[in-house]
Amino acid sequence: MKFVPTIGLEIHAELKTASKMFCSCRNNPDEETPNANICPICLGHPGTLPILNTQAIKHVLKIGIAVDGTLADFTEWDRKNYFYPDIPKGYQISQYKYPLVSGGQLAGVKIERVHLEEDTAQSTHDTHEKSLVNFNRSGVPLMELVTEPVIHDSASAVRFAKELQLLLRELGAGEANMEKGEMRVEANISVSSPEDMEARRFGTKTEVKNLNSFRSVERAVEFEIARQIKLIERGEKVVQETRGWDDAASETYSQRSKESSHDYRYFPDPDIPKLKISLIPEFSREALAKELPELPAARRDRFKDVFSMTDKEAAVFAESTPLSNYFESIVSAYTNDPKRVKLTTNYLLSDYLGLLKKESIDADAASERISHAAFAGLVNMIAAGEISSRGAKDLLTLMMQEKGASPRSLAEKNNLLQKSDASDISPAIDKVIADNAKVVAEYKAGKTASIQFLIGQAMKATKGAANPEVVRKILAEKLG
Ligand code: ADP
Ligand code: ZN
Ligand code: MG
């Protein structure tokens, strides 16, 4: 029997702000000294009063606009009560009934809600049977996004998470490195028979945590789908529970039975002001929309549309604003020339990015070494046939080394220009004609494709230095 998997994601992301969610401690994810950025508020001392971080609220509202969700008119914060050493005050401040954002979609996946909460401290269990708690992360603004259960395969789950990471970075809302725990994905997974699916009856779900890379999201979802199908086929039941992902063993394992929301005894936090969002000018949709950059999806569409890029090409640019800006500065000189736009795309994505990777140069530093005008100069030389593709590669390397040098003078100095002067090439062509009488005869008898062979011979004779277009022209003339 065939089963239909259903997946819904819950994604937490630490937000980039100067200070924490409810106090003025620094929000520094790279802080190495434990408990360096702490105060009575983020330690959860009784009697302290939280103060709202407007930057964090703005980040979430902007994400809401970017995913075309509904921004809350009214919002409040709730206490989510539970006991754990990393949350000494006995509750986490979160949003329950009134999330900042409801609805929306990203990468074709419907979003249920996006809300704001505080991150918890971090516990480590050391080798001397001691547990240590580091409060640097305690109270860091944390956004939680919940999708609808509308994903049906692991690849789409990963695509969604990657798109969210890209969006957070583009908005400056967070770095969202999964490996650093700045973005944490939890996958809810169930399987149902096609008939149940038809009747909109989902199977029992499990929730998988500890996914700290896109790769583990993909593998864990696949493992869990297979595990659940096996259980059902054996006549057993899927137990609703929270499971962990063991990357080394490549399997999920049972952690605890799933708690439900009423276990947390949510209630509105009496110490935090409720917000009437619509009364606060800096939170208005119009004001925030003005601050939004071009979003990755919009840029992908525009680059495909305006510059005739493939999906793959546009995707690379959507991932890098510095590279996109560089590209646009280069082609601004010749937007109406599709040939040179295409050459620019090709040379940037293959040779240029390859070079950056090989020499570990980032896109910003690279565009300082080769100005956009110099890159455009290189493309002009390629388009005019003044330099071969081999020569262009070498020239690009030289340009990267000699900051600010003009491509033409570098090409001349290093003998990279193709010979386009008839007087330089003619003798070689005469020899090719004399040495290949048979092919020449074929050509003259109407087999025009034979010219290709003769061009090849002439290129060989000039050791690749001749401009093939000029060779073709002279050959055609000489052969009449
Ligand atoms: P809970 O009450 O257990 O927290 P929710 O309804 O709030 O469950 O959903 C939490 C997440 O689980 C959401 O991302 C949602 O899309 C997903 N989800 C809900 N039901 C299912 C299901 N049967 N199969 C897969 N995912 C589901
Ligand atoms: Zn603090
Ligand atoms: Mg829930």
Side-chain angles (χ1 to χ4, degrees):
M1 180 166 149
K2 230 176 143 356
F3 290 88
V4 185
T6 296
I7 303 150
L9 300 175
E10 292 168 287
I11 304 185
H12 284 92
E14 288 176 356
L15 299 178
K16 200 159 35 179
T17 53
S19 57
K20 293 188 183 181
M21 187 62 220
F22 299 111
C23 63
S24 55
C25 290
R26 265 192 79 194
N27 169 11
N28 176 13
D30 298 320
E31 177 62 65
E32 287 184 2
T33 311
N35 297 309
N37 301 319
I38 59 173
C39 75
I41 294 176
C42 53
L43 287 172
H45 286 197
T48 52
L49 285 173
I51 299 161
L52 280 173
N53 183 327
T54 49
Q55 183 60 51
I57 296 172
K58 282 169 80 171
H59 280 325
V60 175
L61 292 174
K62 280 187 191 176
I63 289 158
I65 297 171
V67 301
D68 206 15
T70 305
L71 308 190
D73 178 39
F74 168 85
T75 196
E76 65 182 9
W77 271 262
D78 297 282
R79 291 185 178 181
K80 178 181 182 182
N81 299 282
Y82 66 96
F83 173 82
Y84 204 70
D86 66 16
I87 194 101
K89 63 184 185 296
Y91 60 86
Q92 179 190 25
I93 304 175
S94 181
Q95 295 191 297
Y96 185 53
K97 207 168 164 192
Y98 299 100
L100 279 170
V101 176
S102 307
Q105 75 79 34
L106 184 68
V109 172
K110 271 196 188 148
I111 292 164
E112 184 189 318
R113 57 186 276 155
V114 190
H115 70 249
L116 189 49
E117 56 190 35
E118 58 175 345
D119 209 345
T120 59
Q122 269 172 308
S123 325
T124 44
H125 309 287
D126 80 357
T127 47
H128 309 290
E129 296 182 342
K130 282 199 189 91
S131 285
L132 303 169
V133 187
N134 178 358
F135 284 87
N136 285 335
R137 208 182 69 180
S138 176
V140 162
L142 192 66
M143 138 200 142
E144 179 174 357
L145 179 150
V146 183
T147 77
E148 302 271 359
V150 291
I151 304 169
H152 297 289
D153 59 88
S154 60
S156 307
V158 170
R159 195 174 331 117
F160 179 86
K162 283 191 174 165
E163 191 69 16
L164 180 64
Q165 179 187 60
L166 206 53
L167 180 62
L168 286 163
R169 288 180 178 173
E170 195 58 50
L171 291 176
E175 284 305 322
N177 286 312
M178 287 193 73
E179 291 74 9
K180 286 177 154 183
E182 293 164 341
M183 180 162 114
R184 295 162 231 155
V185 177
E186 289 155 28
N188 298 269
I189 300 145
S190 66
V191 298
S192 12
S193 64
E195 302 82 70
D196 279 347
M197 205 59 195
E198 198 71 47
R200 308 227 125 267
R201 275 193 305 268
F202 291 134
T204 304
K205 71 174 154 88
T206 57
E207 177 175 352
V208 182
K209 292 186 188 263
N210 313 0
L211 303 171
N212 49 25
S213 67
F214 292 117
R215 182 90 188 102
S216 36
V217 172
E218 183 169 9
R219 294 170 68 213
V221 167
E222 271 164 23
F223 176 88
E224 197 51 26
I225 292 170
R227 188 188 70 87
Q228 294 184 9
I229 291 175
K230 234 182 267 164
L231 279 177
I232 296 169
E233 284 180 339
R234 277 202 306 248
E236 294 172 42
K237 283 211 159 82
V238 174
V239 180
Q240 176 157 357
E241 62 182 352
T242 301
R243 297 178 70 85
W245 168 247
D246 182 338
D247 209 57
S250 301
E251 59 188 26
T252 63
Y253 57 93
S254 177
Q255 279 186 318
R256 55 185 153 93
S257 62
K258 168 83 181 157
E259 63 291 325
S260 27
S261 59
H262 63 252
D263 295 329
Y264 291 118
R265 312 293 300 187
Y266 281 99
F267 68 88
D269 192 309
D271 289 341
I272 304 177
K274 297 169 193 305
L275 297 183
K276 185 85 181 141
I277 301 270
S278 52
L279 294 181
I280 305 167
E282 66 176 318
F283 292 158
S284 83
R285 197 178 183 105
E286 296 66 46
L288 292 169
K290 279 196 204 114
E291 291 177 22
L292 288 192
E294 180 177 39
L295 302 172
R299 187 189 296 149
R300 243 183 331 249
D301 289 345
R302 183 167 65 86
F303 274 31
K304 284 199 290 192
D305 192 35
V306 177
F307 304 118
S308 307
M309 288 188 188
T310 63
D311 286 340
K312 254 192 173 151
E313 289 166 346
V316 180
F317 286 103
E319 278 172 32
S320 171
T321 301
L323 185 69
S324 300
N325 290 342
Y326 189 51
F327 171 83
E328 296 208 64
S329 307
I330 297 169
V331 300
S332 65
Y334 41 73
T335 28
N336 289 325
D337 179 359
K339 181 181 170 192
R340 281 183 290 178
V341 170
K342 183 105 198 77
L343 281 169
T344 308
T345 308
N346 292 347
Y347 274 86
L348 276 183
L349 295 187
S350 57
D351 303 79
Y352 180 80
L353 283 187
L355 200 56
L356 262 55
K357 198 162 169 203
K358 196 168 122 220
E359 318 218 335
S360 311
I361 309 168
D362 72 44
D364 274 323
S367 59
E368 258 173 51
R369 292 201 207 179
I370 303 180
S371 71
H372 59 83
F375 201 101
L378 168 71
V379 171
N380 283 336
M381 288 169 67
I382 301 167
E386 293 173 275
I387 189 162
S388 67
S389 54
R390 175 68 253 166
K393 251 189 222 309
D394 295 343
L395 182 53
L396 194 61
T397 309
L398 292 167
M399 287 164 76
M400 195 67 85
Q401 285 159 359
E402 297 197 29
K403 187 176 164 180
S406 100
R408 183 168 304 279
S409 63
L410 268 183
E412 279 165 3
K413 210 168 83 190
N414 292 280
N415 243 334
L416 292 172
L417 289 178
Q418 294 193 114
K419 291 204 174 79
S420 296
D421 258 359
S423 56
D424 285 345
I425 309 173
S426 257
I429 291 179
D430 289 339
K431 191 163 181 306
V432 167
I433 292 175
D435 289 353
N436 296 278
K438 202 169 147 240
V439 185
V440 169
E442 277 171 15
Y443 176 83
K444 287 191 168 157
K447 200 176 160 206
T448 48
S450 301
I451 198 165
Q452 224 33 62
F453 173 80
L454 298 172
I455 293 171
Q457 291 306 103
M459 291 303 293
K460 214 184 257 173
T462 59
K463 296 194 177 68
N467 177 343
E469 278 313 305
V470 179
V471 170
R472 172 191 296 277
K473 208 169 133 246
I474 300 174
L475 253 177
E477 275 165 13
K478 287 190 194 269
L479 295 176

